[in-house]
């Protein structure tokens, strides 16, 4: 199960954002007395296509796609040197597949900022520096072992290539650049997979606002959003405390308050969709009177991968995949027969790259 770890400085509103996304009702307060266990929740991915298929087929059971979110403790400055929860926190970050980095923009005098002022870009740089420091530590440890092999003349050609790459990455990090900005080949990415480098993880920067910060003229927002564009990082705005309260209201009341915040979609839906894309995931559907289900697949996966997601037997005995896109299915009166007549129902082989929203039936023989 892939997951998104929610990171940020203490009192940035990480648990509030976690609650907005998950409706988990986790206690909102600073981690105290050395508490390191994070909050976790598995969340269904909102999908109007899935809802429509359930409406059409009226199945006995239904199963939407899901994704896990983990609310990690606040990252203190100098965590890589043992400050705050230190390395225990960084180990939790290493286990996350992608990061939602919550940045405090909201102003609240009853919640003191650990740096004593609101400065979103500074806060992002503080956390980024700690992630870089952690990655440098991993590289230093590995380089020491490789250089010992050089000394003993026991290093292999593959290890020589690794040594050269790691030295280049070390220089890159020392110049305060995260590894996600380094132009790695697919082969190099595969080589580095075991390191779980923190600055290689996909990252979404979540700006946590208060309900007075609804416009585009807030200087702190403009500054960090401009910098994130340069860094090729996506940002998302959320009114953390307000949207957590909105989840307690009836739908009609919630819609009215959303209008006041210039929101067309609830924060939880925006963030879940963003996180799903951040993890590089798509959904395909299987549907019928017994079950409608959304299956999770990596973007770029093929028809055999889709078959394997359903059951290993389907992948092993794969013959063909019958495929129609959700949009074509709906455009043809939700009728497979109509889709066949119009030529939009296709039989695809093993190498077919599954597209988001495909409706698939696997033909197999075991």
């Amino acid at each position: 199960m892939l997951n998104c770890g929610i990171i940020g400085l203490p009192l940035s509103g990480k648990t509030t954002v976690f609650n907005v996304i998950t409706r988990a009702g986790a206690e909102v307060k600073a981690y105290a007395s050395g508490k390191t266990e994070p909050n976790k929740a598995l969340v269904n991915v909102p999908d109007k296509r899935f809802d429509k298929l359930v409406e059409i087929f009226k199945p006995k059971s239904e199963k939407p796609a899901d994704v896990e979110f983990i609310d990690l403790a606040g990252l203190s400055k100098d965590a890589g040197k043992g400050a705050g929860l230190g390395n225990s926190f960084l180990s939790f970050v290493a286990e996350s597949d992608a990061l939602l980095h919550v940045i405090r923009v909201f102003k609240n005098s009853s919640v003191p900022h650990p740096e004593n002022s609101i400065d979103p870009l500074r806060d992002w740089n503080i956390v980024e520096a700690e992630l870089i420091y952690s990655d440098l530590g991993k590289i230093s440890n590995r380089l020491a072992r490789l250089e010992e092999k050089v000394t003993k003349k026991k290093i292999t050609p593959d290890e020589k290539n690794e040594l050269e790459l790691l030295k280049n990455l070390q220089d890159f990090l020392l110049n305060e650049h995260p590894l996600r900005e380094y132009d790695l080949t697919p082969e190099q990415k595969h080589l580095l997979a075991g390191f779980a480098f923190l600055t290689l993880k996909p990252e979404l920067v979540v700006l946590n606002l208060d309900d007075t910060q609804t416009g585009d003229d807030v200087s702190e927002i403009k500054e960090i959003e401009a910098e994130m564009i340069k860094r090729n990082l996506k940002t998302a705005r959320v009114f953390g405390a307000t949207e957590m309260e909105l989840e307690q209201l009836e739908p009609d009341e919630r819609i009215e308050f959303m209008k006041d915040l210039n929101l067309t979609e609830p924060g939880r839906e925006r963030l879940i969709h963003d996180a799903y894309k951040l993890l590089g995931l798509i959904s395909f559907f299987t549907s019928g009177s017994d079950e409608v289900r959304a299956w999770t697949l990596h973007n770029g996966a093929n028809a055999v991968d889709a078959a394997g997601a359903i059951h290993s037997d389907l992948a092993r005995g794969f013959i063909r995949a019958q495929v129609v896109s959700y949009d074509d299915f709906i455009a043809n009166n939700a009728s497979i027969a109509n889709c066949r007549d119009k030529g939009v129902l296709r039989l695809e082989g093993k190498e077919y790259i599954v597209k988001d929203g495909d409706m698939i039936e696997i033909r197999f023989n075991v």
Side-chain angles (χ1 to χ4, degrees):
M1 171 62 64
L2 296 180
N3 68 70
C4 280
I6 303 177
I7 65 170
L9 290 178
L11 305 176
S12 59
K14 291 178 295 71
T15 302
T16 299
V17 171
F18 174 79
N19 284 336
V20 168
I21 294 171
T22 66
R23 297 172 175 159
E27 186 176 5
V28 179
K29 68 173 186 178
Y31 279 67
S33 64
K35 178 181 182 295
T36 60
E37 279 302 312
N39 299 310
K40 298 182 179 182
L42 195 63
V43 178
N44 292 340
V45 178
D47 193 329
K48 291 182 173 63
R49 302 169 303 180
F50 174 83
D51 297 339
K52 184 65 176 178
L53 291 175
V54 169
E55 179 187 323
I56 291 168
F57 287 96
K58 298 178 174 56
K60 296 173 185 174
S61 68
E62 56 189 78
K63 180 67 173 70
D66 48 38
V67 63
E68 186 177 41
F69 290 87
I70 303 177
D71 170 31
L72 302 168
L75 177 62
S76 301
K77 185 187 288 187
D78 295 329
K81 301 174 184 177
L85 298 178
N87 292 324
S88 62
F89 167 84
L90 293 169
S91 68
F92 281 125
V93 181
E95 294 170 7
S96 298
D97 299 294
L99 304 176
L100 267 59
H101 186 169
V102 177
I103 300 292
R104 177 172 174 174
V105 187
F106 72 87
K107 299 174 182 178
N108 186 339
S109 58
S110 65
V111 181
H113 192 292
E115 297 296 316
N116 300 313
S117 64
I118 304 298
D119 187 337
L121 187 54
R122 175 204 59 203
D123 294 353
W124 181 83
N125 280 315
I126 288 173
V127 173
E128 192 79 354
E130 294 306 319
L131 302 184
I132 286 173
Y133 188 86
S134 172
D135 286 351
L136 278 169
K138 293 176 184 178
I139 288 178
S140 294
N141 290 338
R142 178 59 178 161
L143 284 177
R145 291 192 291 272
L146 290 173
E147 286 167 347
E148 184 178 351
K149 287 190 172 188
V150 171
T151 301
K152 295 179 179 179
K153 297 182 179 180
K154 292 183 178 181
I155 194 165
T156 67
D158 285 346
E159 287 173 333
K160 282 185 178 179
N161 290 335
E162 182 185 354
L163 177 67
E164 182 181 356
L165 174 61
L166 289 177
K167 284 184 175 180
N168 289 337
L169 296 181
Q170 184 181 53
D171 290 340
F172 198 72
L173 288 166
L174 286 170
N175 285 313
E176 301 181 350
H177 293 296
L179 296 182
R180 76 179 77 88
E181 295 178 2
Y182 193 95
D183 188 18
L184 292 166
T185 66
E187 293 76 18
Q188 289 172 329
K189 288 180 181 179
H190 180 75
L191 173 66
L192 298 175
F195 288 92
F197 286 128
L198 306 188
T199 65
L200 259 183
K201 295 182 183 295
E203 180 179 327
L204 173 69
V205 178
V206 180
L207 305 181
N208 190 9
L209 316 176
D210 62 48
D211 56 14
T212 69
Q213 298 168 326
T214 57
D216 290 321
D217 57 347
V218 180
S219 60
E220 295 94 341
I221 297 176
K222 291 167 67 176
E223 181 185 34
I224 190 168
E225 287 184 338
E227 181 62 24
M228 294 306 102
I229 288 172
K230 294 178 186 176
R231 299 275 189 163
N232 203 29
L233 287 177
K234 184 176 179 181
T235 57
R237 299 184 185 186
V238 63
F239 300 92
T242 303
E243 295 202 56
M244 187 170 68
E245 293 172 4
L246 290 183
E247 289 296 324
Q248 312 304 316
L249 301 178
E250 294 298 320
D252 290 345
E253 292 180 286
R254 192 184 307 150
I255 289 170
E256 286 303 312
F257 276 99
M258 283 173 56
K259 288 179 182 176
D260 293 338
L261 296 173
N262 296 325
L263 297 177
T264 57
E265 183 182 28
R268 73 179 306 270
E269 293 188 14
R270 298 195 311 275
L271 292 176
I272 293 170
H273 290 150
D274 284 345
Y276 203 61
K277 291 177 183 176
L278 190 69
L279 289 164
L281 300 176
I282 62 171
S283 296
F284 73 93
F285 305 109
T286 54
S287 53
S289 58
D290 286 335
E291 181 185 63
V292 168
R293 182 160 183 165
W295 299 89
T296 296
L297 203 62
H298 281 287
N299 194 8
N302 62 29
V304 176
D305 296 322
I310 300 170
H311 197 284
S312 58
D313 284 350
L314 274 67
R316 190 168 71 252
F318 181 92
I319 300 173
R320 288 282 187 275
Q322 178 178 279
V323 182
V324 62
S325 75
Y326 168 85
D327 289 340
D328 284 338
F329 178 70
I330 295 301
N332 286 279
N333 298 319
S335 165
I336 290 295
N338 288 350
C339 291
R340 184 179 292 110
D341 291 343
K342 292 291 180 66
V344 294
L345 182 70
R346 313 179 307 279
L347 287 178
E348 301 286 0
K350 292 181 177 181
E351 299 307 315
Y352 171 72
I353 302 301
V354 177
K355 297 177 180 60
D356 185 52
D358 276 349
M359 298 172 63
I360 298 178
E361 180 181 321
I362 302 297
R363 297 182 180 181
F364 71 106
N365 182 30
V366 176

